Amino acid sequence: MITEAKVVEILNGLKEPFLHKTLEELNAIEEIKIKEEKNHVSVKVAIAKTGTAEQLQLQQEIVNALKEAGAATVGIRFSELPSEVLAQHQTAQQEDDSDNLLSPNSKTTFIAIASGKGGVGKSTVSVNLAVSLARLGKKVGLIDADIYGFSVPDMMGITKRPVVRGEKIIPVERYGVKVISMGFFVEDNAPIIWRGPMLGKMLNSFFSEVEWGEVDYLLLDLPPGTGDVALDVHSMLPACKEVIVTTPHPTAAFVAARAGAMALKTDHEILGVIENMAYFESKVTGEKELVFGQGGGDKLAEELQTEVLGQLPLGQPDWDDKDFAPSIYQEDHKIGKIYQSIAEKVVEKLG
Ligand SMILES: Nc1ncnc2c1ncn2[C@@H]1O[C@H](COP(=O)(O)OP(=O)(O)O)[C@@H](O)[C@H]1O
Ligand SMILES: [Mg+2]
């Protein structure tokens, strides 16, 4: 013979399969009836989604537990939890799929680095912004989405290749940044001839088949211009932020504006403009020469109604033969410090 108190005790301890809270916490037991003569227990329980495999499993759990406690037969009905209960406990669900980067609950901010044309320093900016964010203690990933023109592994001096664990690709870590690039999957620098839909598939697998773990910022080094990949990123990552790189020449800014216009059209928020190769500063006299013209960054920022996040002069990192990363500026390098201030601005803007 089973008592109602015993039934309550058993049900209270069981977990709702979607919100992962106990039935007691969710106040989910709606009815308990006991027919003493037949030793039959019937209960009504509310869960987040009825008619699901999870419901079936909970049903089995309830039947087993009640029979073990002495019930001869058990009847169960399910209803759906009221929306205010669901809303109140949504956080449990958020934790659940936060490791899926593309889920709306993902805690990862995507930042695409775009430019109107090649050769303006988009990849240089991508790798250095990523490293600078990591130097600020952030968890950072970098996708080299320039699938034909990948250059991130070489620029960062990455010689390792990603390993596969289970079904997932583990990104290569360098300077605290988790990196994935098409270059990792190509033999002997062979050219890639995939087209159209393959691009989107490749990009998609960079999100879903790579074990990113917890990342605060995932940067994407986009191919130059406004082609397929840029479009795929726009449709795959509706909440993506963008940084536009240009050189100071007014015509470069004009071309970059197209990339910016595309970002705006697809509702991607533009964080700002970075003007690269802004000037050359003589080590001897300290004089600044505007080798590639001037005003491009300001003009572009004005056009896109955003700000110039920083101006980077011409200059190479100090090369260290023992730890070779040809495009990464050291933290105490003049240009490294400018990158650091840009990274701080980005963090601040993203709150
Ligand atoms: N501020 C800079 N000073 C000197 N060289 C630079 C600077 N920025 C980029 N470069 C060089 O210019 C070339 C093009 O840069 P890259 O980042 O590959 O451009 P993109 O990705 O836009 O094609 C590379 O050789 C890079 O090392
Ligand atoms: Mg590039």
Side-chain angles (χ1 to χ4, degrees), residues 13-32:
L14 294 176
K15 281 210 168 149
E16 199 280 340
F18 294 97
L19 303 173
H20 309 292
K21 298 272 170 79
T22 62
L23 298 183
E24 180 176 21
E25 283 173 284
L26 297 170
N27 205 8
I29 305 168
E30 299 200 324
E31 197 180 287
I32 297 176

Side-chain angles (χ1 to χ4, degrees), residues 117-124 155 276-277 313-316 327 329:
K117 55 175 185 164
V120 300
K122 187 171 43 58
S123 299
T124 308
M155 288 181 136
N276 189 32
M277 311 185 190
L314 284 161
Q316 290 299 323
S327 294
Y329 297 94

